[in-house]
Amino acid sequence: MHSFKTESKKLLDLMINSVYTNKEIFLRELISNASDAEDKLYLRSLTDPDVDLGSEELTIRITPDAQARTLTISDNGSGMTAEDLERNLGTIAHSDSEEFKTANSDAQNSAIDIIGQFGVGFYSAFMVAKHVRVVSKAYGDTQAHAWTSDGLEGYEIEDAEREGHGTDVILTLKDDEEPGANGEGGERYSQYLEEWTLRELVRRHSNYVHHPIQMMVTKSRQKPKPEDAGDDYKPEYESYQELETINSMTPIWKKRSSEIEQKDYDEFYKSTFHDFEDPARTISFHAEGALEYDALVFIPSRAPFDLYSRDYEKGLALYSSNVLIQEKCADLVPDYYNFVRGVVASPDVTLNISRETLQQNRQLHAIANRVEKKITAELEDMRDNDREAFEKFFENFGRGLKYGIYASYGMKKDELADLLLFWSAREQKLLTLREYVAAMPADQHAIYYAAGDDRDRLAKMPVVESVLAKGYDVLLCTQDVDEFCFQAMRDYTAKDLPKVYEDEAAREAAQKAQADGAEPEREDRTVELHNVTSGDLDLATDEEKKAAEETAKANDDLLSALKEALGDKVEKVAISTRLAADGAPAVITSEGPLSLEMEQVLSAGPESGDVPRAQRVLEINAQHPVFEKLRAAKDADDSDKINLYAALLYDQALLVEGMMPEDPVAFASKVCELM
């Protein structure tokens, strides 16, 4: 027996117990080794006239034997001599494939894809096997040799028998382990002898290895009908076995989009990502140069049921050398595009030793940036050329785009803002922010919006109606993330719009220049985002402002009494400049960074007890008949009535805002008292 060196024994133990996190990876590694052996022989056949071989002759065979508890992975590739077995399997972390790839880098082509890098994949077999026997015969040799080991102390190499060139890796699987009393632990190694499991592992990890992977599979067929069978004969069936290729070999993403129909993409998407609807858009592209990769990305037609759950995992499937590395590589897509599904395949990404995870590097970052730009461009095309489809997309995934702006503290607004849609109170349809700005009157300098939980209620709010009366549109925002998104954005820049001339002389001069053949002037227009219930919208005329100031000064005693009646419920009571004469008697607004809508959203969260309150302002409509009642109560020095009116105005203003009074029972009692 040949003993592993002390260092090798420690390394082997590390390989078996630490490097790989998933036992099923062993099959991927052994198939990859078999594929490498076949590629080496095929490459040799291209330069050596003595090697008479075509690539179609090279196959990989999987043979389970449930009775003997063995699983055999066979290839008819280059094979190994006794010296090769000693060097490649007796020396841990020695990669013959890596040496071969380096030595023949100039001769490789698209039909050859050497996978091995680290020389440790073979030892993953010991995660599931208690004994491994490798029988190999080098091409052109007459003698086969066998390498056997239990993965503990050492290995043996001896002469063996094998009919043709190639290698058989024979695993004797470990005994099944029973789970513990609490249901933990236990391992059913016999599952790796089951046809369905083996097919699924090949499909998941090695489906696109470019050599046929074959296995005897059980099928059913109808027996011939006996000649003497009567009319009541029922068909009988029998099982039989047939050698079948169980991998696809050619990845769909390797084909150019001009070579494949959309229905093929649709079928691949539905079968791979378990969706019953065709994707809304398909993005396929190839990159060459310093970094080579293929990408096939799908924008789904509907949101998966768990998209906004804590357990949802984003990411694209990552392949290297046609072998699955990560089923969901989260680093390939940003969080706001977490709904995107697809595949990225690159031979250039730097893998860690287990090939289950990636080394973080600039290559991966470059791929992710390109994928993100392609997705953004596709969504922009959908927005501009298929508005109905884009609105359906936004209904499913728009929340995530808004959250992307908020979570990046506004850093991503330039990339995402033009993909957002909001309901226009004036146009009664969804608009982009650019469309809103393009339709603004020349004297409008802000985007106005109202946030709440119901579009119809928002449209009826007095402050919304007053802004609409000024001739300005209002965006009605009904998702809880809307206010946070706009707060993070602060402003929006609409690019390349027709220039707006506020000065009549400048407008006439521009029109004359265009009549003489000049190009129309364009400009980028930056506008702030204003919540109609927060802060001073500055929409009142100078006369209206002056009248409000005079009214406030003349009724300072009344405003002070109302503030005293409400206590710390409000920061102040003021005369409103945003309410029309026939509008509401009062409205609740806010000052500072926290709006009423943000307060409601935060209050609904798990930390509702610690949520800060908005700085509330009760604005009184001095043109409303109720104001005269307030003035009369103050003149009569009726403090009880002042207190009653103040509480009622405050609570009804809260209701208009979609907020419950702090004490609904007291509110109902006050209404009855007034009646």
Side-chain angles (χ1 to χ4, degrees), residues 188-420:
R188 198 171 69 86
Y189 295 101
S190 56
Q191 67 177 311
Y192 302 119
L193 299 172
E194 297 169 358
E195 179 184 315
W196 185 90
T197 301
L198 294 171
R199 290 177 71 115
E200 177 63 18
L201 293 182
V202 169
R203 185 201 65 79
R204 187 183 308 163
H205 298 290
S206 306
N207 198 30
Y208 304 110
V209 169
H210 57 253
H211 296 293
I213 302 172
Q214 299 179 333
M215 185 172 70
M216 295 295 294
V217 298
T218 302
K219 296 185 176 182
S220 179
R221 63 189 172 196
Q222 185 175 337
K223 291 182 179 180
K225 182 178 180 180
E227 294 182 2
D228 58 349
D231 294 337
D232 59 347
Y233 171 77
K234 294 182 179 179
E236 295 181 358
Y237 295 85
E238 64 179 357
S239 295
Y240 69 102
Q241 287 204 313
E242 181 177 276
L243 189 65
E244 183 178 291
T245 298
I246 59 176
N247 64 320
S248 299
M249 291 183 284
T250 304
I252 192 172
W253 55 83
K254 288 282 188 182
K255 302 176 182 178
R256 297 296 165 260
S257 54
S258 58
E259 304 172 2
I260 192 168
E261 296 182 18
Q262 182 59 44
K263 65 179 182 180
D264 298 316
Y265 284 131
D266 294 345
E267 187 58 37
F268 171 80
Y269 167 77
K270 288 188 286 189
S271 62
T272 303
F273 301 105
H274 311 295
D275 198 347
F276 56 83
E277 289 188 28
D278 293 338
R281 285 294 178 102
T282 301
I283 310 168
S284 176
F285 62 97
H286 175 74
E288 293 181 341
L291 183 61
E292 181 180 345
Y293 59 91
D294 295 280
L296 179 58
V297 177
F298 300 96
I299 298 174
S301 296
R302 63 183 185 90
F305 71 93
D306 59 343
L307 178 62
Y308 297 109
S309 72
R310 184 176 299 177
D311 297 330
Y312 181 80
E313 293 183 58
K314 72 180 178 80
L316 304 180
L318 178 67
Y319 284 79
S320 182
S321 298
N322 290 342
V323 174
L324 179 66
I325 302 304
Q326 283 188 353
E327 192 167 7
K328 291 186 178 180
C329 181
D331 294 326
L332 286 173
V333 286
D335 287 343
Y336 44 85
Y337 287 156
N338 64 347
F339 53 85
V340 170
R341 297 169 175 176
V343 173
V344 169
S346 173
D348 296 329
V349 291
T350 305
L351 308 178
N352 78 345
I353 194 170
S354 72
R355 296 201 307 189
E356 292 177 274
T357 55
L358 299 164
Q359 305 286 0
Q360 296 299 318
N361 55 34
R362 288 179 295 177
Q363 297 166 328
L364 188 66
H365 185 65
I367 295 174
N369 281 342
R370 179 79 185 281
V371 169
E372 179 181 350
K373 289 178 181 178
K374 283 287 188 178
I375 296 170
T376 302
E378 193 69 26
L379 292 175
E380 289 172 346
D381 180 75
M382 189 192 303
R383 176 200 63 200
D384 297 337
N385 299 307
D386 192 350
R387 189 56 172 260
E388 183 179 351
F390 184 75
E391 290 184 6
K392 181 181 178 182
F393 155 81
F394 194 80
E395 181 183 353
N396 285 317
F397 305 111
R399 179 189 296 271
L401 304 185
K402 297 172 185 176
Y403 186 78
I405 294 177
Y406 167 69
S408 66
Y409 301 99
M411 297 295 289
K412 286 292 181 180
K413 68 178 183 179
D414 291 340
E415 291 87 343
L416 299 176
D418 282 325
L419 295 176
L420 304 183

Side-chain angles (χ1 to χ4, degrees), residues 632-649:
K634 180 58 183 173
D635 292 341
D637 200 23
D638 190 342
S639 59
D640 290 340
K641 188 167 288 189
I642 288 288
N643 292 341
L644 175 63
Y645 288 170
L648 283 172
L649 285 174

